[in-house]
Amino acid sequence: MKHILFLITFTLLLGGQNASAQIRGRGPVNLNDPHEVSYLNPQNYTIAGIRVTGTQYLDSEVLITVSRLVVGQYIEVPSEATSNVIKTLMSQNLFDDVQLYAEKIEDDNIFLEIRVQERPRLTRIDINGLKKAETEEIRKRLNTNTGKIVNENLIKTTQATIQKFLREKSYLYPDIKITTAKDTTQTNYEILLVNVEKNKKIKVNKVLFEGEEAFSAGQLSGYLKGVKPRKWYRIFGPGKFKDDKYKEAKQKLTAKLQDKGYRDAEILVDSVVRHNNKSVDVHIKLHEGPRYYVGNIEWSGNSKYTDSVLNLILGIEKGDIYSEEKLTTKLQGPTRNSDDISALYQNDGYLTFGIHPIIKRIHEDNTIDLEIVVSEGKQFTINNVIVKGNDVTNDKVVLRSIYTKPGQKFSRELLMRSVREISQLGMFDEQKINPTPTNLNYEEGTTDLEYTVSEKPSDQVELSGGYGAGQIIGTLGLTFNNFSTSNMFTKDAWKPLPRGDGQKLSVRGQTSGKRYQSYSFSFSEPWLGGKKPIYFGLSAYTSSSSYGGFNYYTGQQMVKDKDLNRIWMTGVTATLGKRLQWPDNYFQINTSLSFQRYKLQNYGNYFLFSDGTAYNVNITQEISRNSVDAPIYPTSGSHFKFSVQLTPPYSKWNNINYQTAADNVKYKWTEYHKWKFDSQWYTKIAGKLVLKAQAQFGYLGSYGSKTPTSTFERFKLGGDGMQGFDFLQGSEIIAMRGYANGTLIPESTGNNQERIAINSGSPIYTKYQMELRHPVMLNEQATVFVLAFAEAGNTWNKFSEVNPLKMRRSAGVGARIFLPIFGMLGIDYGHAFDPIPGLRSSEWKQNFTFSIMQNMGGF
């Protein structure tokens, strides 16, 4: 027995010496290679040194830290600790290979070497199969820079990013193949090659519901807004399937069911299953639950208003279908609403008002008893009103538009009205006007209001050219919407013109050379004197035209004398206006005094008289109400305007026989009375879709039977509505898309003399318009929206002919883009349905119309 124990002990000692000798007598030894070291007899050493070899870009000290090896520590060689060094470094995905070597052993000290082989670096990613814009967008999302490690993580990230991008574009099942290629121009660098085949955009084939009881599949499909399956009656086909739209649609579905009283309604499970290469089937399993009704309603915490008053405003009674959405709306309301309970308090100074409904009990018959807890708080008074962000516009311009004044009680309604008025100035980004109560003093009940604004370019340039009336006409116009007369004599304020007072200065020139020239100037001050909202406007123009004997309506050359047919027009208008407080403060009244001079030379082919000078002295009284929420893209509110324009009734006292008098006598002093009405409504239909409805009416009359209806101030209906060359004929241009300019003439127009008058327009017109608008872009740089329209209008020579039901109709689509420097630009395609008697279709049809700097309010 003693001999056996001695033999075992001797063998172990000999094995240990051999293991140590494996390292001591040789060069570097791979400590993880079982062929070089034995795991049967490990030895303990003290780490005397560590170095890293094979690195090109990585920091050796950092790698030593990551390896968890420390000089001075004891380590068993070989062991799990030496194996973990390899595992830890390889897990960083930075290397193709890692090895741990023992360089030498001195007594109990060991010197270690970590040998690494770095993975290749990225030169670039080449993406094939996508459009240039798509590739650029993916590159931005990847944010890949030269020098990144090419590893499995990079490849997976690249593939996932491309898949997500394409999925957003409805390419749900793309084929993406990613390979690498060595970059021959750089050592240890690779190029990532991505080949993409987008395949077809995916649509929805069917939406299948499970678990529905109270609702039909058709109703549920209607509630699933944004996810529409294929149907034969959908002319333009179903929309593309998009993940974000689908997610929103599911939320809208459950919200709609809950709004119908099914407060427990939820989607248990849903899936999107591939139907074929072009479509998917959507499966939704629902839980509707029972329908709930409103039970008893109790109020607590209210002292300002009684329960009966609050119940009246709440508008929810016992037995009504329980809807959390309706309840929340009536308690807290949307920001712009004023008929909810929060508005009742907050419009009376209760800035910190809070209200919270609590479900007290749910009965077996599914009725819900509610307790509505009111926290009235304290009435707050406005201490200071502060404006920030207006670097150019003077504070007074913004402050005078604000309805929340220091010393007044806080009012949410006036706060939102102030936001509207600031946006109406046209100098600030409507989306970035942010009013915030600050510095709340709860003891004294005061608060400051801080209005943060973001200025946008408001000056505009009109530079255009066009072909009309047989000539090329160029236009140059400059409009400065934030002009300042108070800084006229301040040298540093001219950048290039003095700005900041909210005044408007406009100059415009239009010419085709000597044959046609028109120049105009206008100035307006919305706060004359600076203390009250009294509007002052001054405008002047001069125009002249020489037709040179060419009849542009027949296309024939009549004479050779280029100065045979001429007209000159000169005019000046002064306007005073005032904002009214009754019936409400949206009303405005304006009074204008205007003088115009017309001088005609052989112009009989276009007016009722051909030679002489005519004068038009008139006064216009206008009353309007404007409550639209934004000037460029209104979404709510209305705009009404009614005006009467009068000249003196010269025929009542001048004793002229208008039957026998010469033209230059009876038309010298123009007389008429002109009535106009224009109304517009804006309302949101769904989401951002806005409906605009408009009705217009105009009538030009005479004071008696002695004088004919004025040849000036008539209405020309049809075309783009731009006041260009036709301005010389003294007409008011009314747009109607689908028809050529001014072609909607009365059916009763027969003889040549009447045709001559119609060239200057008609005395009566009506027009109706319905327009659906949807925004594409709403930001400081540009406002873009698309539209679809339907219009109806007509003109008549006298009231006995007026038939509101007999209209010329058109419909079409269009787009608008507002650029701060150029104003509103538009293009429309319209189709006219009703022909104009006496005109060929080529004469009265005009499918495409273009517009520039048109006032979107229509006024």
Side-chain angles (χ1 to χ4, degrees):
M1 186 66 179
K2 291 182 179 180
H3 293 289
I4 295 174
L5 291 175
F6 176 79
L7 180 62
I8 293 173
T9 303
F10 178 79
T11 303
L12 291 175
L13 289 174
L14 183 62
Q17 292 174 355
N18 290 339
S20 177
Q22 286 179 343
I23 300 176
R24 292 178 184 274
R26 300 169 51 188
V29 176
N30 190 338
L31 299 181
N32 293 93
D33 188 348
H35 298 289
E36 298 198 30
V37 294
S38 173
Y39 278 80
L40 294 176
N41 297 290
Q43 299 291 310
N44 291 321
Y45 298 99
T46 300
I47 300 176
I50 308 169
R51 73 187 187 102
V52 179
T53 59
T55 56
Q56 295 182 13
Y57 306 98
L58 300 175
D59 189 290
S60 297
E61 295 300 323
V62 173
L63 294 180
I64 292 173
T65 302
V66 172
S67 72
R68 299 179 183 177
L69 296 176
V70 180
V71 173
Q73 81 176 72
Y74 289 98
I75 188 171
E76 190 178 49
V77 179
S79 65
E80 184 179 353
T82 57
S83 298
N84 286 340
V85 172
I86 309 299
K87 294 177 181 178
T88 300
L89 291 175
M90 286 297 293
S91 67
Q92 306 303 311
N93 286 321
L94 300 174
F95 309 103
D96 281 333
D97 186 43
V98 177
Q99 297 294 334
L100 179 63
Y101 281 82
E103 289 191 294
K104 61 180 179 178
I105 294 177
E106 295 177 352
D107 298 326
D108 292 333
N109 296 320
I110 188 170
F111 295 84
L112 300 176
E113 176 190 3
I114 303 174
R115 296 182 183 180
V116 299
Q117 182 181 345
E118 290 187 7
R119 286 186 170 174
R121 299 277 173 161
L122 179 67
T123 301
R124 65 180 185 273
I125 298 178
D126 290 343
I127 303 175
N128 301 312
L130 299 179
K131 296 177 181 178
K132 183 178 180 181
E134 295 173 333
T135 302
E136 291 302 319
E137 176 62 27
I138 289 174
R139 290 188 189 280
K140 290 179 183 178
R141 297 190 183 191
L142 286 170
N143 193 24
T144 52
N145 300 319
T146 300
K148 277 192 173 183
I149 299 293
V150 178
N151 53 26
E152 192 65 27
N153 182 56
L154 177 63
I155 293 173
K156 289 181 178 179
T157 300
T158 301
Q159 182 162 357
T161 302
I162 296 173
Q163 284 178 330
K164 183 180 179 181
F165 172 79
L166 293 177
R167 196 173 181 89
E168 292 172 1
K169 305 296 182 182
S170 299
Y171 297 101
L172 268 61
Y173 305 111
D175 292 323
I176 303 172
K177 184 179 180 181
I178 301 178
T179 57
T180 60
K182 288 186 177 181
D183 186 352
T184 58
T185 63
Q186 299 184 75
T187 304
N188 203 35
Y189 270 79
E190 288 185 348
I191 302 169
L192 212 61
L193 304 176
V194 183
N195 292 307
V196 181
E197 189 173 343
K198 295 189 291 187
N199 297 324
K200 297 288 185 180
K201 282 190 174 184
I202 300 300
K203 299 180 179 181
V204 179
N205 178 57
K206 288 182 180 179
V207 179
L208 304 173
F209 293 96
E210 181 183 347
E212 72 274 18
E213 296 178 2
F215 299 91
S216 66
Q219 288 176 306
L220 295 173
S221 182
Y223 299 154
L224 197 68
K225 301 292 186 181
V227 179
K228 297 298 180 184
R230 293 182 178 183
K231 296 291 182 181
W232 64 268
Y233 52 80
R234 290 199 173 101
I235 300 174
F236 299 104
K240 310 297 186 296
F241 180 88
K242 293 184 178 181
D243 284 332
D244 55 343
K245 294 291 184 183
Y246 178 53
K247 185 177 180 180
E248 291 178 10
K250 290 190 292 182
Q251 294 173 348
K252 290 177 181 178
L253 173 62
T254 54
K256 192 67 176 180
L257 297 183
Q258 292 168 1
D259 187 50
K260 297 292 184 181
Y262 296 87
R263 64 185 298 268
D264 298 332
E266 61 177 334
I267 296 176
L268 298 176
V269 65
D270 67 284
S271 60
V272 179
V273 181
R274 188 171 186 171
H275 178 73
N276 54 32
N277 292 333
K278 297 181 180 180
S279 62
V280 293
D281 292 332
V282 177
H283 298 262
I284 296 177
K285 185 176 182 179
L286 287 170
H287 169 68
E288 292 178 353
R291 195 174 201 181
Y292 292 87
Y293 299 87
V294 177
N296 297 317
I297 300 177
E298 297 179 4
W299 297 86
S300 63
N302 54 306
S303 59
K304 176 74 174 178
Y305 299 102
T306 64
D307 292 1
S308 59
V309 172
L310 296 179
N311 279 324
L312 183 64
I313 298 174
L314 182 65
I316 298 175
E317 299 180 355
K318 185 176 181 179
D320 288 351
I321 294 171
Y322 180 80
S323 169
E324 288 186 2
E325 181 182 358
K326 182 179 180 180
L327 180 63
T328 302
T329 300
K330 297 302 292 183
L331 293 179
Q332 300 177 355
T335 304
R336 296 183 183 275
N337 199 13
S338 296
D339 61 354
D340 56 273
I341 292 176
S342 292
L344 178 68
Y345 277 91
Q346 291 180 346
N347 290 339
D348 196 28
Y350 292 90
L351 173 60
T352 58
F353 172 81
I355 190 166
H356 180 62
I358 299 174
I359 296 177
K360 291 189 65 177
R361 183 180 178 185
I362 300 178
H363 296 272
E364 292 182 358
D365 60 353
N366 297 324
T367 58
I368 298 176
D369 292 341
L370 293 171
E371 179 185 1
I372 302 178
V373 181
V374 174
S375 176
E376 293 180 339
K378 193 172 185 178
Q379 278 185 317
F380 280 79
T381 302
I382 300 171
N383 188 30
N384 294 308
V385 179
I386 306 162
V387 181
K388 290 186 176 181
N390 53 318
D391 299 326
V392 175
T393 306
N394 295 327
D395 285 354
K396 65 179 183 180
V397 175
V398 184
L399 290 173
R400 70 193 185 192
S401 300
I402 292 174
Y403 279 74
T404 52
K405 305 294 184 182
Q408 294 178 344
K409 287 188 294 186
F410 174 84
S411 170
R412 189 180 84 181
E413 183 179 10
L414 294 180
L415 190 74
M416 301 317 300
R417 175 67 187 276
S418 300
V419 171
R420 174 196 176 274
E421 293 299 322
I422 294 173
S423 68
Q424 290 286 342
L425 294 174
M427 307 163 196
F428 306 101
D429 186 349
E430 295 90 346
Q431 310 299 320
K432 296 181 180 179
I433 301 173
N434 182 29
T436 308
T438 60
N439 300 325
L440 272 69
N441 188 322
Y442 291 91
E443 293 183 2
E444 298 182 4
T446 60
T447 181
D448 294 341
L449 287 182
E450 185 176 289
Y451 288 86
T452 303
V453 297
S454 176
E455 288 189 305
K456 66 180 182 181
S458 58
D459 298 334
Q460 296 173 351
V461 178
E462 179 185 3
L463 180 62
S464 62
Y467 183 83
Q471 55 190 313
I472 297 175
I473 301 173
T475 302
L476 175 62
L478 300 174
T479 301
F480 303 94
N481 287 302
N482 198 4
F483 190 70
S484 173
T485 54
S486 63
N487 291 324
M488 287 285 289
F489 301 103
T490 303
K491 183 179 179 181
D492 296 338
W494 288 77
K495 298 178 181 178
L497 290 177
R499 303 168 63 202
D501 282 350
Q503 300 163 344
K504 183 176 180 179
L505 176 67
S506 179
V507 291
R508 188 174 187 265
Q510 195 173 45
T511 181
S512 66
K514 293 182 179 181
R515 292 170 56 188
Y516 168 65
Q517 295 183 16
S518 178
Y519 305 97
S520 63
F521 160 85
S522 66
F523 171 80
S524 63
E525 164 60 81
W527 284 67
L528 186 63
K531 296 183 179 180
K532 294 183 179 180
I534 297 176
Y535 173 87
F536 170 74
L538 181 66
S539 62
Y541 69 88
T542 179
S543 302
S544 66
S545 177
S546 169
Y547 279 85
F550 188 84
N551 188 326
Y552 294 104
Y553 289 91
T554 65
Q556 297 177 348
Q557 186 75 31
M558 296 183 296
V559 295
K560 295 182 179 180
D561 184 359
K562 66 178 181 179
D563 293 324
L564 182 61
N565 307 110
R566 291 187 66 84
I567 183 173
W568 297 266
M569 286 179 62
T570 304
V572 61
T573 300
T575 303
L576 277 178
K578 183 181 180 181
R579 185 184 300 166
L580 303 179
Q581 298 301 316
W582 185 89
D584 61 34
N585 53 21
Y586 288 107
F587 278 87
Q588 174 93 12
I589 187 169
N590 291 339
T591 303
S592 301
L593 181 63
S594 179
F595 169 81
Q596 294 172 327
R597 174 180 177 271
Y598 305 87
K599 186 176 180 181
L600 284 73
Q601 174 182 307
N602 294 322
Y603 218 73
N605 290 311
Y606 306 96
F607 284 96
L608 290 175
F609 69 100
S610 60
D611 289 281
T613 301
Y615 299 95
N616 183 354
V617 180
N618 63 75
I619 186 170
T620 302
Q621 190 66 56
E622 174 186 291
I623 185 168
S624 62
R625 185 183 187 275
N626 184 2
S627 63
V628 298
D629 60 342
I632 305 303
Y633 187 77
T635 60
S636 64
S638 60
H639 194 170
F640 301 90
K641 186 174 77 169
F642 174 74
S643 67
V644 180
Q645 188 177 100
L646 306 171
T647 66
Y650 303 107
S651 61
K652 300 298 183 181
W653 65 69
N654 58 17
N655 297 320
I656 294 176
N657 186 339
Y658 284 85
Q659 301 297 323
T660 60
D663 289 346
N664 60 349
V665 175
K666 64 182 180 182
Y667 291 118
K668 182 176 181 179
W669 294 99
T670 302
E671 67 172 63
Y672 60 86
H673 52 91
K674 187 176 183 179
W675 307 72
K676 294 192 299 180
F677 176 74
D678 198 340
S679 59
Q680 299 177 27
W681 299 266
Y682 298 90
T683 184
K684 282 188 177 181
I685 302 298
K688 297 181 179 179
L689 185 66
V690 175
L691 172 66
K692 172 194 173 186
Q694 183 176 14
Q696 295 173 266
F697 168 79
Y699 168 64
L700 181 70
S702 59
Y703 291 108
S705 58
K706 285 185 178 181
T707 58
T709 304
S710 171
T711 187
F712 303 111
E713 298 296 332
R714 292 174 174 246
F715 305 101
K716 299 188 74 172
L717 182 60
D720 53 27
M722 295 184 67
Q723 193 87 29
F725 184 77
D726 287 334
F727 178 68
L728 279 172
Q729 297 179 8
S731 305
E732 185 170 339
I733 312 301
I734 311 297
M736 187 162 171
R737 294 160 285 191
Y739 292 88
N741 290 352
T743 55
L744 278 86
I745 61 178
E747 290 185 359
S748 63
T749 303
N751 58 49
N752 290 335
Q753 190 69 5
E754 288 178 329
R755 288 278 179 183
I756 291 171
I758 293 306
N759 285 335
S760 296
S762 305
I764 306 172
Y765 91 96
T766 60
K767 179 193 166 186
Y768 307 100
Q769 180 191 99
M770 299 286 282
E771 194 170 275
L772 285 172
R773 300 174 169 185
H774 195 279
V776 176
M777 179 189 303
L778 297 174
N779 58 41
E780 182 180 352
Q781 288 73 31
T783 298
V784 183
F785 62 90
V786 293
L787 56 90
F789 66 86
E791 297 182 334
N794 212 346
T795 61
W796 298 275
N797 285 323
K798 48 190 176 182
F799 263 120
S800 60
E801 301 173 356
V802 174
N803 184 353
L805 300 179
K806 193 170 185 179
M807 295 287 165
R808 275 74 177 261
R809 302 158 300 162
S810 67
V813 295
R816 298 289 183 272
I817 176 170
F818 178 83
L819 301 172
I821 192 171
F822 290 113
M824 187 67 71
L825 309 175
I827 180 173
D828 296 285
Y829 176 86
H831 176 74
F833 296 100
D834 302 294
I836 308 298
L839 296 180
R840 298 186 300 271
S841 62
S842 60
E843 295 176 322
W844 61 268
K845 278 189 175 182
Q846 182 177 337
N847 294 122
F848 284 98
T849 53
F850 301 88
S851 58
I852 181 171
M853 294 191 72
Q854 295 287 74
N855 189 320
M856 292 311 298
F859 300 110

